Amino acid sequence: MTPTALNAFRNTLADCELAVYVDLGSRTVLSSDGALHYPQEYLDVLCTCAADLFDAAPKGEEPVEHVLFLSPTGSRGFFRNLADPCEALCCICSAEVGFERLIENARAALVGESTAQ
Amino acid sequence: MSDLDRLKEVLRRSARDGTTTSGRIRYGTGPDGVARMLEQVDAAVLAQRLSFEFDDGSRFICEALGRRLVRLLAPPPRGLTAEQVALFDRDDLGGEEVRMLSDLFITLCERGSRIAVTSDPLGDETNPSHVGIEPAAIARAAGLSGEVLFETKEGSSHEALLDALQPSLRAAILIEGEEATLVCGEGAEAGFVTDWADNSLEDLLSPKFPLLGTLETNGILVFALPKTTGNHLLIAGRHGSLVVATVRNGDVTATLDRWRELNLSSSR
């Protein structure tokens, strides 16, 4: 996903502060878009977090599609690209985010990205 | 600077940086509200001015130091008895006021179902010679189990979540320190949770895992398993204890909303 695509995704959500597209295998940040400028180290931590989570996820015939985290101070969403399971969309949102909308919009953004490719 | 002074300085700075407002706390019954108030006192290691605002708009302000309640600050909320009002004239609370304080706390908590708590550090303003009262003593006088009041908070939080997830809950284990206890489920469903906790949870409990601190303190992590499994897996943490559970159906948003209702501000 390009920064432009990430920005378009982020603009569909009022509560999304940062969106990052990562390669889970190499643990590399591929692109990002945020409300503020985030240092690379910060993006790398989010990428590592996504890779750790999908590595630890229960293994079955199909991979875990997404992992969501919520705390009183914020939320995180990690969405595997089902068309390319080695890549994932990660985002940081407020604790008040609507998860249903977040999931729908993330999936739509990833499908749009796959279609564009 | 001694180690103790250094620690105090760290805590003092932490208090200044952190929580002037900790949000609105929901409670079910009067005694439950008392427990929530006393938890705030119990958390006040350094001198704190605690302000509790109730649903009816009345405000109760007190000072706590060394995890003890040391003073109530005027003006008293409206509608109190003369004996309760007299507590606000005491410069230093002691054991003889325990019963009256527990009655006061219960009276206040019966005014609604939520409190907004504001905590302000007092620095060196407070006289360290204040004796004060342990919150556990007030809890016992209020009919709560003082010995287990704060120790069971984590367990109660997890129990509330698991209760809220019934009847979709399939299996759950509670992890406290090195001990893991199966609290719900049997057969393959229990095996799935136990195996996952044995084989994979350790990776997430590594200090290198970026979300570990928040997760263990107060957070929830949900793995949306493929739709074909019809389940999702959650890990919820509270004050160092964890619950790992599988929930039937793929509605992870419902699970997160249940957790949010139980753990986050209910004022919105």
Side-chain angles (χ1 to χ4, degrees):
Chain A
M1 290 181 79
T2 63
T4 305
L6 290 172
N7 181 259
F9 159 70
R10 218 168 52 75
N11 286 337
T12 65
L13 299 159
D15 298 312
C16 185
E17 297 164 12
L18 174 66
V20 179
Y21 196 61
V22 304
D23 184 296
L24 297 169
S26 62
R27 298 187 171 224
T28 306
V29 174
L30 301 175
S31 57
S32 68
D33 179 75
L36 302 170
H37 174 74
Y38 292 87
Q40 186 62 40
E41 293 82 357
Y42 193 88
L43 307 181
D44 290 342
V45 167
L46 193 63
C47 175
T48 299
C49 193
D52 286 347
L53 284 169
F54 285 114
D55 279 352
K59 307 293 185 293
E61 292 177 7
E62 302 166 79
V64 161
E65 297 178 359
H66 48 264
V67 186
L68 300 167
F69 176 73
L70 175 62
S71 79
T73 54
S75 62
R76 308 275 190 279
F78 305 90
F79 303 90
R80 191 192 294 274
N81 186 342
L82 300 179
D84 187 348
C86 280
E87 296 180 358
L89 167 62
C90 317
C91 56
I92 294 180
C93 302
S94 73
E96 291 79 21
V97 70
F99 281 106
E100 197 166 347
R101 185 176 170 83
L102 173 63
I103 295 167
E104 282 177 7
N105 292 8
R107 284 284 152 229
L110 287 167
V111 168
E113 179 68 10
S114 301
T115 306
Q117 286 175 349
Chain B
M1 183 183 281
S2 71
D3 287 346
L4 181 59
D5 289 338
R6 194 173 293 115
L7 176 61
K8 283 181 177 176
E9 181 58 32
V10 169
L11 290 169
R12 186 172 289 123
R13 193 165 53 240
S14 167
R16 284 194 191 118
D17 287 343
T19 55
T20 50
T21 303
S22 60
R24 197 165 279 272
I25 299 169
R26 181 184 290 277
Y27 55 88
T29 62
D32 186 35
V34 173
R36 302 288 83 77
M37 290 177 72
L38 293 176
E39 281 168 5
Q40 301 295 323
V41 175
D42 189 58
V45 177
L46 296 175
Q48 301 271 321
R49 178 168 295 143
L50 301 171
S51 172
F52 300 90
E53 185 182 332
F54 295 85
D55 281 345
D56 68 348
S58 58
R59 189 182 294 269
F60 167 74
I61 305 172
C62 63
E63 288 180 357
L65 168 64
R67 303 175 68 195
R68 300 167 80 93
L69 179 65
V70 295
R71 203 154 70 99
L72 309 187
L73 300 186
R78 284 172 298 182
L80 302 183
T81 65
E83 290 86 356
Q84 290 170 338
V85 170
L87 290 169
F88 291 79
D89 294 329
R90 298 294 305 263
D91 189 45
D92 188 9
L93 296 168
E96 63 274 23
E97 280 97 13
V98 167
R99 169 59 60 187
M100 193 61 68
L101 279 167
S102 75
D103 291 344
L104 170 63
F105 276 46
I106 290 172
T107 300
L108 291 170
C109 289
E110 285 174 345
R111 296 181 173 193
S113 59
R114 292 177 305 177
I115 41 176
V117 184
T118 305
S119 167
D120 294 306
L122 289 176
D124 297 325
E125 296 170 35
T126 301
N127 181 354
S129 66
H130 279 313
V131 176
I133 299 174
E134 287 184 2
I138 301 171
R140 281 191 293 271
L144 300 163
S145 173
E147 287 80 3
V148 298
L149 175 64
F150 308 108
E151 293 169 8
T152 58
K153 179 182 170 189
E154 298 79 34
S156 299
S157 171
H158 290 319
E159 283 171 22
L161 177 64
L162 297 180
D163 284 347
L165 294 173
Q166 291 284 7
S168 300
L169 194 66
R170 300 185 71 163
I173 55 174
L174 180 65
I175 301 170
E176 293 177 295
E178 297 292 313
E179 286 189 22
T181 311
L182 182 69
V183 294
C184 167
E186 56 187 16
E189 293 170 349
F192 173 81
V193 176
T194 307
D195 288 347
W196 183 81
D198 283 346
N199 297 320
S200 300
L201 182 61
E202 191 177 335
D203 296 336
L204 299 184
L205 300 185
S206 157
K208 291 179 182 173
F209 178 58
L211 297 177
L212 176 65
T214 317
L215 175 63
E216 281 193 324
T217 304
N218 192 16
I220 182 170
L221 194 56
V222 178
F223 291 89
L225 304 183
K227 289 185 177 63
T228 49
T229 69
N231 294 322
H232 58 274
L233 175 75
L234 71 87
I235 308 139
R238 180 77 173 172
H239 293 202
S241 70
L242 295 170
V243 65
V244 181
T246 46
V247 182
R248 188 180 293 119
N249 80 45
D251 192 357
V252 295
T253 61
T255 294
L256 290 164
D257 286 342
R258 293 291 89 72
W259 186 91
R260 185 149 40 196
E261 286 167 11
L262 293 167
N263 290 277
L264 301 189
S265 165
S266 54
S267 58
R268 48 183 183 269

